[in-house]
């Protein structure tokens, strides 16, 4: 009995660790893309203490997912980037599904997608993409990474950078300084 309980709690820890690893990779991508993400920016993004971020950056480096230097921040390695985009793909497909098919209001879809993205398999994500008609963008206008890990090029700019009288089409809603 004792042994079983020990194993169960071990499993729970492993699952929690892997989803938080994913959240960090995604946060690094969202605040810095392939550039260096600072401890503070990632801390703000994830609402955690900077010390926890420093700690996790060290662990991600050991796992080969980031390159990290104290004063330059964390850079995703090829493997780290692949994992970040895989999660982002799931996240944005799930958000699209919740908004377009389950009647979710805009507020609340992000949190729901945050939870679900860790629970679904690659097969589910692929079926979901097909069900949705393989969208290139989510309802916010954010690009959905493709299954091969590529991303549609960003062609939008902020409305305040538009010249007076210029005709534009608004197709992307940025809800915070950082996308997601
Ligand atoms: Zn979201």
């Amino acid at each position: 009995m004792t042994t079983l309980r020990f194993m169960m709690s071990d499993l729970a820890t492993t699952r929690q660790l892997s989803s938080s690893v994913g959240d960090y990779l995604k946060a690094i991508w969202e605040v810095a893309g392939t550039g260096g993400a600072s401890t503070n920016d990632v801390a703000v993004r994830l609402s955690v203490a900077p010390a926890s971020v420093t700690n996790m950056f060290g662990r991600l480096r050991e796992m080969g997912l980031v390159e990290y230097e104290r004063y330059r921040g964390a850079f995703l390695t090829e493997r780290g980037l692949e994992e970040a985009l895989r999660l982002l793909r799931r996240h944005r497909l799930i958000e699209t599904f919740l908004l377009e098919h389950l009647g979710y209001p805009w507020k609340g879809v992000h949190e729901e997608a945050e939870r679900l993205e860790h629970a679904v398999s690659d097969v589910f994500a692929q079926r979901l993409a097909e069900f949705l008609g393989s969208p290139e963008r989510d309802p916010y206008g954010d690009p959905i990474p493709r299954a091969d890990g590529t991303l549609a090029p960003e062609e939008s700019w902020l409305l305040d950078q538009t010249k007076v009288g210029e005709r534009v089409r608004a197709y992307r809603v940025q809800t915070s300084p950082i996308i997601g």
Side-chain angles (χ1 to χ4, degrees):
M1 253 344 213
T2 316
T3 315
L4 180 64
R5 225 165 44 222
F6 175 74
M7 286 169 61
M8 298 280 281
S9 70
D10 248 3
L11 272 178
T13 314
T14 312
R15 197 176 308 126
Q16 211 173 2
L17 177 70
S18 68
S19 75
S20 82
V21 162
D23 287 338
Y24 270 84
L25 297 176
K26 207 154 51 93
I28 293 168
W29 190 85
E30 285 164 348
V31 303
T34 51
S38 76
T39 307
N40 274 334
D41 287 350
V42 173
V44 169
R45 176 74 188 170
L46 294 174
S47 311
V48 295
S52 315
V53 177
T54 308
N55 224 330
M56 183 58 109
F57 279 179
R59 269 151 76 193
L60 295 175
R61 182 176 52 191
E62 280 167 27
M63 294 166 84
L65 297 169
V66 305
E67 279 165 32
Y68 170 52
E69 287 167 40
R70 204 174 175 86
Y71 298 103
R72 292 179 62 226
F75 295 72
L76 293 170
T77 61
E78 202 173 312
R79 253 191 69 214
L81 179 65
E82 204 175 286
E83 182 60 21
L85 291 179
R86 198 172 67 94
L87 272 173
L88 200 68
R89 171 175 166 77
R90 292 163 172 219
H91 183 93
R92 292 183 172 166
L93 286 170
I94 291 167
E95 282 185 337
T96 305
F97 180 67
L98 296 177
L99 283 164
E100 292 183 353
H101 296 277
L102 296 189
Y104 274 65
W106 277 39
K107 200 172 158 57
V109 282
H110 177 78
E111 284 67 31
E112 193 77 287
E114 282 291 314
R115 284 191 289 272
L116 289 170
E117 70 189 28
H118 300 294
V120 303
S121 68
D122 286 336
V123 174
F124 181 92
Q126 191 47 37
R127 292 281 163 87
L128 183 58
E130 286 162 19
F131 174 78
L132 294 168
S134 306
E136 285 258 298
R137 291 181 179 275
D138 69 14
Y140 298 99
D142 293 324
I144 298 173
R146 303 182 184 108
D148 64 3
T150 58
L151 205 58
E154 183 48 84
E155 287 152 354
S156 70
W157 62 87
L158 290 171
L159 202 56
D160 65 6
Q161 288 155 12
T162 300
K163 294 180 207 78
V164 175
E166 191 178 358
R167 286 176 67 87
V168 295
R169 185 169 64 93
Y171 76 96
R172 182 172 184 182
V173 179
Q174 212 162 314
T175 47
S176 68
I178 24 196
I179 51 172

